[in-house]
Amino acid sequence: MAAYTITPTFQRVLHAVKRATLHPRCWLLNFRAQYVTTHDWNEKTFDKILIANRGEIACRVIKTCKKMDIRTVAVHSDVDSSSVHVKMADEAVCVGPAPTSKSYLNMDAIMDAIRQTGAQAVHPGYGFLSENKEFARRLAAEGVTFIGPDTHAIQAMGDKIESKLIAKAARVNTIPGFDGVVKDAEEAVKIARELGYPVMIKASAGGGGKGMRIAWSDDETREGFRFSSQEAASSFGDDRLLIEKYIDNPRHIEIQVLADKHGNALWLNERECSIQRRNQKVVEEAPSTFLDPATRRAMGEQAVSLAKAVQYSSAGTVEFLVDSKKNFYFLEMNTRLQVEHPITECITGLDLVQQMIRIAKGYKLQHKQEDIPINGWAIESRVYAEDPYKSFGLPSIGRLSQYEEPVRLSGVRVDSGIQEGSDISIYYDPMISKLVAYGASRADALKKMEAALDNYVIRGVTHNIPLLREIIVHPRFVAGDISTNFLPEVYPDGFKGHPLSAGDRRELLAAAAALHIAAQLRSQRFLGEQRVSAAAQERRHWELCLELEKSVHMLAVSHSRGTYTVEVDGEKVEVSGEWNLASALLPLSINGSHKVLQCLTRSPAGDISLQYLGTTFKVRVLSVLAASLSKHMPEKLPEDTSSILRSPMPGTVVGVAVKPGDTVAVGQEICVIEAMKMQNSMTAAKTAKVKSVHCKTGETVGEGDLLVELE
Amino acid sequence: MIGCKRSRLLHNSRWYSISHLSVQDRIEEKRRAALVGGGQKRIDAQHKRGKLTARERIDLLMDPESFVEYDMFVEHRCADFGMEADHNKYPGDSVVTGQGRINGRLAYVFSQDFTVFGGSLSGAHAQKICKIMDQAMMVGAPVIGLNDSGGARIQEGVESLAGYADIFLRNVMASGVVPQISLIMGPCAGGAVYSPALTDFTFMVKDTSYLFITGPDVVKSVTNEDVTQEELGGARTHTAVSGVAHRAFENDVDALLNLRNFFNFLPLSNKDPAPVTECHDPSDRLVPGLDTLVPFESTKAYDMLDIIHGIVDERDFFEIMPNYAKNIVVGFARMNGRTVGIVGNQPKVASGCLDINSSVKGARFVRFCDAFNIPIITFVDVPGFLPGTAQEYGGIIRHGAKLLFAFAEATVPKITVITRKAYGGAYDVMSSKHLRGDVNYAWPSAEVAVMGAKGAVQIIFRGKENQAEAEAEYVETFANPFPAAVRGFVDDIIQPSTTRKRICRDLEVLASKKQTNPWKKHANIPL
């Protein structure tokens, strides 16, 4: 470092100078140095902001506050008292016990926290109270600034029926549908028939895919009505539903808008969010491969006109469905900061949280529409604690026993609110982080995302990296040929992990063999021990028998100076690299190509689980002798799963439909488990009599817990 | 041994002339016969049961081509019941014995051959086992027994019984001199069970091994109980209910490969230091997850295994008795490559209290470590001894004293970390400073006191109002590490994330520790 100190302000000026003189791409690639705007961070806004949220978004807001020299107050539930957002904030207030209704949704406690700490403004993040007009009203009543739009806009856009009417009036394209609240299941069926199937049933107060069902028939409409109203009631305390024509095979593309309190509004380009499961986004990117400049402008202008129609201020998102002919229809407007906002920040260089704060203070927008660039490409993967092999992701819980984010890679941003040792509990959203990769081109961004996923160490909970890693390399995704049906179309029988090619198989087997031999060699090295025979250590050649996905391979391995030469199925594979048996990541050079694998477990009996290309593979490595003797070992029969019903995830039993002695038919609902506010119907795998029921309504169950036994 | 015999036979021409059949041919024939034990038919039957033969087991256990067999020509000497007939003689009889290498280190092994008279123990069989045990003690190397035997050779009567006793005596003499490991891979019934019981570790193979004094038939006739072999003495019973076995494995192959791994933790004898292997896990690695592990509420549970896995090398922990008395966790791991024994109260099970079973489990483990120069690391979160009539009538006083005794007499390096509660007598027991703990740490969440706040306040402030206030005062005074730290009963209060670094450094310092107990014939542990 130089002998003088750079003051923060001087540094900012320096950055501004650099930005002005360098090619835009250069600062884009340096983006992880942090959110760049062409603006003075010292602009006077608030002294202290309370963040009424938890997890990654609370951390995200605090980061910008720190830059702006604003003191921060975190609120937290008792189980969150040592979480990252609490540690990052200048002050923290406990607002109640773990259930969100008693803590993060507890307005009285949060209002108390505001009074107690003297916060001048509140950033609500997303979810929780972010789109709650009552909360905004109470803040206004106490003279505290809500960092978001005003109550009027929240109310108008929060109600899907009202928002659609306003949109129509603002000359925004809308989806044909029933403009009113549906009374009951039968009325739902009637309307559905009029619109023509398929239809979408959704909660009037909804968002985030909760309380949303698609129906293709009368029966599905009735069932969907029941589920959606229950979910809507439990998630939003409002069971009103509406129905509209379902646009089949659409894309989900949304426009980020930014509006100030002086009637100015901008659109900050689009985000492509078509990769979804159960109407929840999984992978997002900005810009979209699908939009041409004309469509982009048309969508942007409609979004801005809607924002102006409701006197919108702050950051907001207008969601559209786009069909294959680039017709677009207004879906809804989210009056908050979106989960996927980082990708917009990447391509525009704006810090949306900073913009929200200064807008809330009453400043005018400082950009003009023509100032808004699209620089490079950004992709976001939502890394969740969930099992992607079950319905593309059922929640999983646990303690992060090991956790390392791939932040050292260039062009990678990780927004998270957890750290090694954190618990992913049943109380909150199971998101681990938002992993963002950005590059000069889409191909560049995708390459970086691949590396980021491979270098991401998450142990202790099941996570969806296998699915994310497959999506981003899938030919259809790479070609930009996607829709909201991408996952069910690409994986009609459910996600099964990475399909191994013959070449993959060789690489994986060679890596497993190298790892096994390295462990063998080390187990013969004792330090300072006189009584060890040298014979074993002199060995340089081994024959191994490997089992992978039920097929058996004979391998010849030789080792010399850190390089393992493995002969697999008649081909030579060389494995080398700087790695050891203790490191979480295995950066290997396999036949000269660089691959990062992870060894998850390694047992003395030769079982190795390796994460390779995102998916975890189990390989059994045995000596030829052990393998030949293994054939005598008795096969242990797995339990018959058709007669037992186990909970596929941790959650709460919200209903049990059977009792012992009842006869159930295949597919009949047995009980309903709620986890992370999703209701999951558990059905019978065969027609049988119920032998015993091991759960009752209101009980919490863990993953794999026995629920019901059939005869 | 065989090698030297053979060379004498080959070069002494007079030996050849005496025999009708060439001696060389006879040697070859005997050798061939020895290798097939009870014959192909019985080998097939053994395989069909999901079991390997005695020799296959040795091949898997030992390094390739390292096994040296003893007594291949020994035959039984019984002349009753037609046993003297040639077809009833098997070279080597019903056990294979010898020595070899496991990852380059010496081990003696005997492997009972179920294909020969059901692996039954004859005088000759016992003599073969005794021979390797005697030599193992002389050279200082562990003895591994692979048990698969129907019991005594009934035809031999008292000679067989004498054989058992000869083995028992050697098990006792070898105890604390060389590690002794039993792997039960088939039946082991009657008097035979006492040999594994006298060894340091007894492992079992699930579904194919059982241990009992008397089988289900005798049980039925004596106590009229209906019980299967598996329920009476299978792996599940002994690893979860009786505590006779220390761990069970899936099958023969799994068990033998795991045994190789386990062997690497052990020193060869009481004169050898605990082994040190090459370690890639940095000894100064911080474990940030530990800073948030212990919950704020002292009544809330957490998993002691999270601490252990976080701290030891490469999360590699070989747990002993994982399914028995789960309120205490014991097992082997490495710190910076060096084998250590780990003892920890498990708050997840019965709040981590000490009861009869956990005391005995802990005590036996501590004594093994002390006998074989393995440093002991103790993690303390203990609310006390478990109260109640079941415990008192069962003799918790006597059994709890075993753990106290074991920790007190141990002279190996002893490092103790109080992670949360250390209440009452249990605080003293768990390798406290007062029992010659070498380095005793407290985490900031530690509370060392006679009892929890509620109980204490009810006694100190009996009948007084304002119990809540008194409780708060008690918590303020005792629910922190200071009372112990100001008295020097803990050496330091450490940040949990630095625990691995601290322990690795201490172990290095303590490696040269020398401490002896007063001369005695032997101590009198309250058995």
Side-chain angles (χ1 to χ4, degrees), chain A residues 568-584:
Chain A
V568 197
D569 302 335
E571 296 209 24
K572 274 216 163 78
V573 183
E574 285 209 340
V575 181
S576 60
E578 288 293 310
W579 56 280
N580 66 49
L581 291 160
S583 58

mmCIF file of all heavy atoms in Angstrom, chain A residues 568-584:
data_model
loop_
_atom_site.group_PDB
_atom_site.id
_atom_site.type_symbol
_atom_site.label_atom_id
_atom_site.label_comp_id
_atom_site.label_asym_id
_atom_site.label_seq_id
_atom_site.Cartn_x
_atom_site.Cartn_y
_atom_site.Cartn_z
ATOM 1 N N VAL A 568 -9.067 -47.033 -17.409
ATOM 2 C CA VAL A 568 -10.491 -47.339 -17.262
ATOM 3 C C VAL A 568 -11.025 -47.799 -18.603
ATOM 4 O O VAL A 568 -10.876 -47.091 -19.596
ATOM 5 C CB VAL A 568 -11.301 -46.068 -16.876
ATOM 6 C CG1 VAL A 568 -12.664 -46.456 -16.320
ATOM 7 C CG2 VAL A 568 -10.552 -45.188 -15.914
ATOM 8 N N ASP A 569 -11.667 -48.920 -18.627
ATOM 9 C CA ASP A 569 -12.276 -49.447 -19.850
ATOM 10 C C ASP A 569 -11.343 -49.298 -21.058
ATOM 11 O O ASP A 569 -11.748 -48.832 -22.124
ATOM 12 C CB ASP A 569 -13.603 -48.720 -20.142
ATOM 13 C CG ASP A 569 -14.584 -48.847 -18.985
ATOM 14 O OD1 ASP A 569 -14.455 -49.830 -18.232
ATOM 15 O OD2 ASP A 569 -15.441 -47.968 -18.826
ATOM 16 N N GLY A 570 -10.086 -49.643 -20.854
ATOM 17 C CA GLY A 570 -9.141 -49.633 -21.967
ATOM 18 C C GLY A 570 -8.579 -48.261 -22.307
ATOM 19 O O GLY A 570 -7.768 -48.136 -23.209
ATOM 20 N N GLU A 571 -8.999 -47.210 -21.606
ATOM 21 C CA GLU A 571 -8.448 -45.882 -21.910
ATOM 22 C C GLU A 571 -7.683 -45.346 -20.708
ATOM 23 O O GLU A 571 -8.068 -45.567 -19.564
ATOM 24 C CB GLU A 571 -9.576 -44.920 -22.280
ATOM 25 C CG GLU A 571 -10.274 -45.369 -23.548
ATOM 26 C CD GLU A 571 -10.861 -44.209 -24.315
ATOM 27 O OE1 GLU A 571 -10.368 -43.072 -24.153
ATOM 28 O OE2 GLU A 571 -11.830 -44.449 -25.048
ATOM 29 N N LYS A 572 -6.630 -44.608 -21.006
ATOM 30 C CA LYS A 572 -5.798 -44.065 -19.926
ATOM 31 C C LYS A 572 -6.319 -42.691 -19.506
ATOM 32 O O LYS A 572 -6.582 -41.839 -20.347
ATOM 33 C CB LYS A 572 -4.349 -43.914 -20.429
ATOM 34 C CG LYS A 572 -3.547 -45.188 -20.280
ATOM 35 C CD LYS A 572 -2.093 -44.884 -19.907
ATOM 36 C CE LYS A 572 -1.409 -46.107 -19.350
ATOM 37 N NZ LYS A 572 -1.005 -47.072 -20.367
ATOM 38 N N VAL A 573 -6.455 -42.497 -18.219
ATOM 39 C CA VAL A 573 -6.872 -41.198 -17.707
ATOM 40 C C VAL A 573 -5.836 -40.757 -16.682
ATOM 41 O O VAL A 573 -5.502 -41.517 -15.777
ATOM 42 C CB VAL A 573 -8.267 -41.281 -17.025
ATOM 43 C CG1 VAL A 573 -8.712 -39.906 -16.552
ATOM 44 C CG2 VAL A 573 -9.299 -41.893 -17.961
ATOM 45 N N GLU A 574 -5.329 -39.549 -16.846
ATOM 46 C CA GLU A 574 -4.337 -39.042 -15.901
ATOM 47 C C GLU A 574 -4.978 -38.049 -14.944
ATOM 48 O O GLU A 574 -5.648 -37.111 -15.373
ATOM 49 C CB GLU A 574 -3.188 -38.365 -16.651
ATOM 50 C CG GLU A 574 -2.271 -39.370 -17.303
ATOM 51 C CD GLU A 574 -0.848 -38.850 -17.431
ATOM 52 O OE1 GLU A 574 -0.664 -37.627 -17.381
ATOM 53 O OE2 GLU A 574 0.061 -39.693 -17.578
ATOM 54 N N VAL A 575 -4.779 -38.284 -13.664
ATOM 55 C CA VAL A 575 -5.358 -37.399 -12.656
ATOM 56 C C VAL A 575 -4.221 -36.780 -11.854
ATOM 57 O O VAL A 575 -3.387 -37.491 -11.301
ATOM 58 C CB VAL A 575 -6.294 -38.178 -11.706
ATOM 59 C CG1 VAL A 575 -6.914 -37.236 -10.685
ATOM 60 C CG2 VAL A 575 -7.373 -38.908 -12.487
ATOM 61 N N SER A 576 -4.206 -35.458 -11.811
ATOM 62 C CA SER A 576 -3.201 -34.797 -10.983
ATOM 63 C C SER A 576 -3.820 -33.523 -10.428
ATOM 64 O O SER A 576 -5.002 -33.255 -10.632
ATOM 65 C CB SER A 576 -1.959 -34.475 -11.815
ATOM 66 O OG SER A 576 -2.331 -33.629 -12.883
ATOM 67 N N GLY A 577 -3.025 -32.744 -9.744
ATOM 68 C CA GLY A 577 -3.555 -31.476 -9.231
ATOM 69 C C GLY A 577 -3.117 -31.217 -7.814
ATOM 70 O O GLY A 577 -2.583 -32.092 -7.137
ATOM 71 N N GLU A 578 -3.331 -29.974 -7.396
ATOM 72 C CA GLU A 578 -2.959 -29.565 -6.045
ATOM 73 C C GLU A 578 -4.136 -29.821 -5.128
ATOM 74 O O GLU A 578 -5.046 -29.013 -5.022
ATOM 75 C CB GLU A 578 -2.626 -28.062 -6.044
ATOM 76 C CG GLU A 578 -1.321 -27.704 -6.709
ATOM 77 C CD GLU A 578 -0.113 -28.220 -5.944
ATOM 78 O OE1 GLU A 578 -0.047 -27.991 -4.720
ATOM 79 O OE2 GLU A 578 0.747 -28.871 -6.572
ATOM 80 N N TRP A 579 -4.149 -30.967 -4.467
ATOM 81 C CA TRP A 579 -5.254 -31.255 -3.558
ATOM 82 C C TRP A 579 -4.746 -32.157 -2.457
ATOM 83 O O TRP A 579 -3.685 -32.758 -2.562
ATOM 84 C CB TRP A 579 -6.408 -31.928 -4.297
ATOM 85 C CG TRP A 579 -6.004 -33.184 -5.020
ATOM 86 C CD1 TRP A 579 -5.378 -33.253 -6.226
ATOM 87 C CD2 TRP A 579 -6.170 -34.535 -4.577
ATOM 88 N NE1 TRP A 579 -5.156 -34.564 -6.563
ATOM 89 C CE2 TRP A 579 -5.629 -35.372 -5.576
ATOM 90 C CE3 TRP A 579 -6.750 -35.120 -3.445
ATOM 91 C CZ2 TRP A 579 -5.636 -36.759 -5.468
ATOM 92 C CZ3 TRP A 579 -6.753 -36.500 -3.341
ATOM 93 C CH2 TRP A 579 -6.188 -37.305 -4.353
ATOM 94 N N ASN A 580 -5.490 -32.227 -1.381
ATOM 95 C CA ASN A 580 -5.163 -33.193 -0.341
ATOM 96 C C ASN A 580 -6.445 -33.768 0.232
ATOM 97 O O ASN A 580 -7.550 -33.331 -0.124
ATOM 98 C CB ASN A 580 -4.273 -32.575 0.729
ATOM 99 C CG ASN A 580 -4.998 -31.505 1.503
ATOM 100 O OD1 ASN A 580 -6.116 -31.699 1.972
ATOM 101 N ND2 ASN A 580 -4.359 -30.347 1.631
ATOM 102 N N LEU A 581 -6.293 -34.736 1.119
ATOM 103 C CA LEU A 581 -7.462 -35.481 1.594
ATOM 104 C C LEU A 581 -8.301 -34.683 2.585
ATOM 105 O O LEU A 581 -9.392 -35.096 2.941
ATOM 106 C CB LEU A 581 -6.996 -36.793 2.228
ATOM 107 C CG LEU A 581 -6.419 -37.784 1.223
ATOM 108 C CD1 LEU A 581 -5.552 -38.811 1.913
ATOM 109 C CD2 LEU A 581 -7.538 -38.459 0.450
ATOM 110 N N ALA A 582 -7.813 -33.540 3.046
ATOM 111 C CA ALA A 582 -8.580 -32.766 4.006
ATOM 112 C C ALA A 582 -9.360 -31.645 3.350
ATOM 113 O O ALA A 582 -10.250 -31.075 3.953
ATOM 114 C CB ALA A 582 -7.647 -32.180 5.065
ATOM 115 N N SER A 583 -9.023 -31.308 2.093
ATOM 116 C CA SER A 583 -9.664 -30.131 1.513
ATOM 117 C C SER A 583 -11.054 -30.474 0.992
ATOM 118 O O SER A 583 -11.304 -31.556 0.486
ATOM 119 C CB SER A 583 -8.800 -29.541 0.405
ATOM 120 O OG SER A 583 -8.573 -30.517 -0.575
ATOM 121 N N ALA A 584 -11.949 -29.501 1.159
ATOM 122 C CA ALA A 584 -13.335 -29.708 0.746
ATOM 123 C C ALA A 584 -13.433 -29.762 -0.775
ATOM 124 O O ALA A 584 -14.247 -30.489 -1.325
ATOM 125 C CB ALA A 584 -14.209 -28.596 1.299
#
